[in-house]
Amino acid sequence: MVFKASDNRYDNMKVRRAGNSGLQLPALSFGTWHSFGDDANFKDSQKIMLAAFDRGIFSFDLANNYGPGSGAAERMFGQVYQQDLKPYRDELIITTKAGFHMWPGVYGNFSSKKTLTAALDQSLERMGLDYVDIYYSHRFDPNTRLEETAEALDLLVRQGKALYIGISNYDGPQTEKMIKLFKELHTPFVVNQSSYNMLNREPANDGTLKALADNHDGFVAYGPLAEGLLTSKYLGGIPEDIHLHWTNNFILENGQDKAIAKLNKLNEIAKNRDQTLAQMSLAWLLSDPTVVSVVTGASKVNHLDDNLKALDNLDFTTDELEAIDKIVKEK
């Protein structure tokens, strides 16, 4: 059966601009970090991706190390794209990244010119694309000059393989340096994508958000629900074997009981807003105008719809924001 997208797909989606660039993204982007790849059921993945597009989520966030084994999520996305989404290419923002381990040898890692070039060629082939909309350096490379990374990304735009450039997991000072280099090269840099949520305030604390705002660039948040901690799932207890992203490990360092108490207090504020804890967590991120989009994964359509309900109430009172900050900062 040929997929035909809903005629009303853009009716309810909030769209946000990355600074003063031409890049606009849906407030929620579709992430493929979990649940997509060789171990996933193709039909299930296809269903959720098409449901996302039908709801106005036109941005798909990938990386060449997503999915078990190198390139698995890109391959699966490529199949859905070729089969169903190709007629809509001019509406889609398809993004990918390179920098974490992908293939044997010294060039399967980090952000040298050779690595970034080879990785993008592989990604385009896996997805069946001529270009990606945003290509990210997935992490800071401590052993390669930032100039080399910036020049490689700039070259890939000039070759027509990417329209815009992003960086991911770069802290405030690193972001500032990259922005300066991109300005000198006239590279269309648009966003930094990093782990950020109500509990993990690192991008606010280390100057990343300020650097982007000062330069009229955008921020994309991943890990908005801290691997499920910021949902109602763990309000009664957190299992010992919970697997948190490395950026969120600190959340449990004062013990699980204190973390659970915080989550329940935050949940009370969410209830007063007629939102779930997850919906309030997404809305909190989007209350900052520098945050152009939040990457959320979903394996079921009802999860997707629950997340989208966060967009119904993005306004916070000063009292609410202060109360959230006070709870988060409790030792």
Side-chain angles (χ1 to χ4, degrees):
M1 205 169 113
V2 176
F3 169 70
K4 184 185 180 301
S6 163
D7 291 337
N8 309 318
R9 59 189 173 278
Y10 296 116
D11 288 1
N12 298 309
M13 178 49 70
K14 288 185 165 62
V15 176
R16 295 158 74 98
R17 185 178 291 273
N20 58 8
S21 74
L23 180 79
Q24 297 179 71
L25 295 174
L28 296 184
S29 291
F30 190 89
T32 59
W33 179 34
H34 289 305
S35 312
F36 297 91
D38 297 343
D39 294 348
N41 178 296
F42 177 77
K43 284 282 174 215
D44 290 348
S45 298
Q46 180 185 38
K47 182 181 175 187
I48 189 78
M49 284 181 193
L50 299 182
F53 185 55
D54 268 343
R55 286 155 177 75
I57 297 177
F58 55 88
S59 172
F60 291 86
D61 183 76
L62 297 117
N64 48 14
N65 66 322
Y66 288 176
S70 179
E74 287 181 332
R75 273 194 301 277
M76 178 168 276
F77 175 79
Q79 286 176 272
V80 177
Y81 169 74
Q82 295 298 332
Q83 197 172 310
D84 303 294
L85 291 173
K86 199 169 184 179
Y88 305 98
R89 178 64 183 106
D90 294 343
E91 298 176 34
L92 298 174
I93 294 291
I94 302 170
T95 75
T96 197
K97 314 175 196 76
F100 285 95
H101 182 73
M102 292 159 297
W103 63 82
V106 294
Y107 290 109
N109 220 343
F110 286 115
S111 301
S112 73
K113 187 173 187 178
K114 182 171 174 67
T115 301
L116 292 173
T117 301
L120 183 52
D121 284 344
Q122 290 176 21
S123 293
L124 293 173
E125 190 173 338
R126 274 191 287 266
M127 293 189 279
L129 297 174
D130 296 325
Y131 69 94
V132 291
D133 296 280
I134 307 174
Y135 186 47
Y136 289 91
S137 166
H138 206 166
R139 61 170 165 170
F140 172 74
D141 182 343
N143 300 311
T144 300
R145 287 180 302 113
L146 285 176
E147 287 84 351
E148 179 175 335
T149 299
E151 285 163 9
L153 293 166
D154 182 73
L155 177 66
L156 292 167
V157 171
R158 292 176 193 278
Q159 289 175 340
K161 294 175 183 176
L163 298 185
Y164 295 101
I165 289 303
I167 53 177
S168 182
N169 302 308
Y170 282 60
D171 67 19
Q174 292 160 358
T175 298
E176 277 195 63
K177 284 178 192 161
M178 287 300 272
I179 288 173
K180 186 170 179 289
L181 290 168
F182 287 136
K183 279 188 172 168
E184 288 166 5
L185 292 164
H186 301 290
T187 311
F189 167 73
V190 281
V191 287
N192 179 335
Q193 181 181 140
S194 293
S195 175
Y196 187 38
N197 57 59
M198 220 156 38
L199 299 170
N200 168 15
R201 307 287 185 90
E202 198 55 30
N205 298 337
D206 72 10
T208 300
L209 285 164
K210 185 179 185 309
L212 294 164
D214 288 351
N215 288 282
H216 308 292
D217 294 312
F219 182 86
V220 173
Y222 75 78
L225 304 179
E227 288 72 68
L229 282 181
L230 286 167
T231 67
S232 50
K233 199 171 171 184
Y234 301 120
L235 294 173
I238 300 168
E240 290 296 331
D241 62 350
I242 187 168
H243 181 64
L244 294 179
H245 189 261
W246 52 272
T247 55
N248 291 321
N249 280 330
F250 74 94
I251 293 168
L252 301 179
E253 67 189 10
N254 291 324
Q256 297 204 357
D257 291 347
K258 286 189 175 168
I260 293 162
K262 275 188 190 185
L263 296 176
N264 279 279
K265 286 180 190 172
L266 291 169
N267 191 50
E268 287 305 310
I269 299 175
K271 275 197 224 167
N272 289 334
R273 291 171 51 81
D274 291 325
Q275 288 182 317
T276 64
L277 178 55
Q279 287 162 355
M280 181 176 83
S281 300
L282 295 170
W284 179 86
L285 285 163
L286 291 161
S287 67
D288 182 341
T290 306
V291 177
V292 60
S293 191
V294 176
V295 178
T296 59
S299 51
K300 294 187 171 64
V301 174
N302 62 323
H303 291 168
L304 192 68
D305 288 334
D306 281 346
N307 287 344
L308 285 165
K309 282 184 191 137
L311 306 183
D312 296 341
N313 182 11
L314 299 180
D315 296 325
F316 286 78
T317 64
T318 307
D319 287 352
E320 283 175 327
L321 291 172
E322 285 174 359
I324 289 168
D325 285 353
K326 192 176 170 205
I327 293 164
V328 169
K329 285 171 184 164
E330 282 171 6
K331 289 290 180 219

